[in-house]
Amino acid sequence: GQNIDQPTEMTATEGAIVQINCTYQTSGFNGLFWYQQHAGEAPTFLSYNVLDGLEEKGRFSSFLSRSKGYSYLLLKELQMKDSASYLCAVGDNYGQNFVFGPGTRLSVLP
Amino acid sequence: DTGVSQDPRHKITKRGQNVTFRCDPISEHNRLYWYRQTLGQGPEFLTYFQNEAQLEKSRLLSDRFSAERPKGSFSTLEIQRTEQGDSAMYLCASSLAAGEDEQYFGPGTRLTVT
């Protein structure tokens, strides 16, 4: 089966750090992606992990543990514009099929 | 090239009618995906093309749904005999090649079935 879990909602304060977790169970694995989606807009790519460990890209970092079926997205120095949904997606079946999680809606408060 | 485009952006139709959506991917991308997204949920995979070949189709996809990519460039998604449950945002995405390449999403077509 295919299952991806994320918290439904999170709230954080401007300037703070927030960690959004994602757990997955898929029949295959060809990498894990994080996307950002503002309300009413299309998802935009944030990060890709295929090996265990941390990938850092500016204020955003993403971590993967394949043995645990677990990833997180770390957002530092939060800004109001970071208020959005964050989607975890797993490339399944040799990358031919992408499974998205339900998304985590992050609200950044002043 | 400014990215993935989709047409129309909004479609309102009556139950039982057929609708067709178009997606124009980024020109050098040979992979094209269709997704459906409802409010508060992540995108749900529908189907995917490698050039003109449809290589994968979700088992959840009804026979009323069909997609084509005749020349390996733009793609169309047709829904026949629409139902109210088909109301959703239909997203198209393209990528350069293999699974590790990020997908670039279009703005989506919002379908409302009355």
Side-chain angles (χ1 to χ4, degrees):
Chain A
Q2 299 173 328
N3 189 50
I4 298 181
D5 284 322
Q6 304 178 234
T8 303
E9 292 188 30
M10 298 184 71
T11 302
T13 305
E14 194 174 15
I17 299 173
V18 70
Q19 177 174 312
I20 302 174
N21 296 325
C22 169
T23 58
Y24 64 90
Q25 292 175 310
T26 56
S27 55
F29 181 82
N30 194 39
L32 187 141
F33 297 77
W34 283 96
Y35 283 82
Q36 180 190 59
Q37 187 175 28
H38 285 99
E41 298 182 10
T44 55
F45 171 80
L46 289 177
S47 69
Y48 169 74
N49 295 70
V50 67
L51 300 176
D52 289 353
L54 188 68
E55 294 282 341
E56 298 187 77
K57 189 185 290 186
R59 294 190 299 115
F60 293 3
S61 302
S62 56
F63 172 83
L64 175 67
S65 169
R66 289 171 296 171
S67 62
K68 295 182 179 178
Y70 167 70
S71 173
Y72 68 73
L73 179 70
L74 193 71
L75 292 78
K76 304 175 185 176
E77 301 170 15
L78 282 173
Q79 302 175 9
M80 300 296 289
K81 66 179 182 180
D82 297 331
S83 292
S85 284
Y86 291 86
L87 301 164
C88 172
V90 174
D92 190 10
N93 192 24
Y94 302 102
Q96 296 183 10
N97 182 358
F98 276 74
V99 181
F100 277 84
T104 298
R105 187 163 63 245
L106 173 67
S107 298
V108 180
L109 305 178
Chain B
D1 187 277
T2 57
V4 179
S5 62
Q6 293 186 244
D7 183 69
R9 295 292 305 277
H10 303 274
K11 179 70 177 179
I12 299 174
T13 191
K14 292 184 177 179
R15 189 177 53 182
Q17 297 295 306
N18 299 344
V19 294
T20 300
F21 309 142
R22 177 181 169 122
C23 171
D24 287 87
I26 294 173
S27 57
E28 63 267 27
H29 286 185
N30 51 31
R31 290 198 170 196
L32 187 147
Y33 303 79
W34 283 100
Y35 294 89
R36 175 172 60 193
Q37 187 175 27
T38 53
L39 195 63
Q41 299 297 315
E44 175 193 13
F45 171 81
L46 295 178
T47 189
Y48 127 85
F49 291 84
Q50 172 86 25
N51 298 314
E52 66 275 9
Q54 188 174 17
L55 297 185
E56 188 82 13
K57 190 174 178 181
S58 170
R59 288 185 292 275
L60 302 175
L61 202 61
S62 154
D63 289 343
R64 296 185 296 106
F65 287 68
S66 62
E68 294 183 344
R69 194 183 183 194
K71 298 181 180 179
S73 56
F74 74 91
S75 175
T76 57
L77 177 69
E78 181 183 19
I79 309 174
Q80 295 181 328
R81 305 180 302 282
T82 53
E83 302 172 357
Q84 287 187 322
D86 296 332
S87 296
M89 177 72 83
Y90 289 84
L91 293 166
C92 175
S94 69
S95 69
L96 188 57
E100 64 269 20
D101 282 319
E102 63 185 273
Q103 296 183 24
Y104 292 81
F105 282 83
T109 294
R110 180 165 296 284
L111 173 65
T112 302
V113 182
T114 61

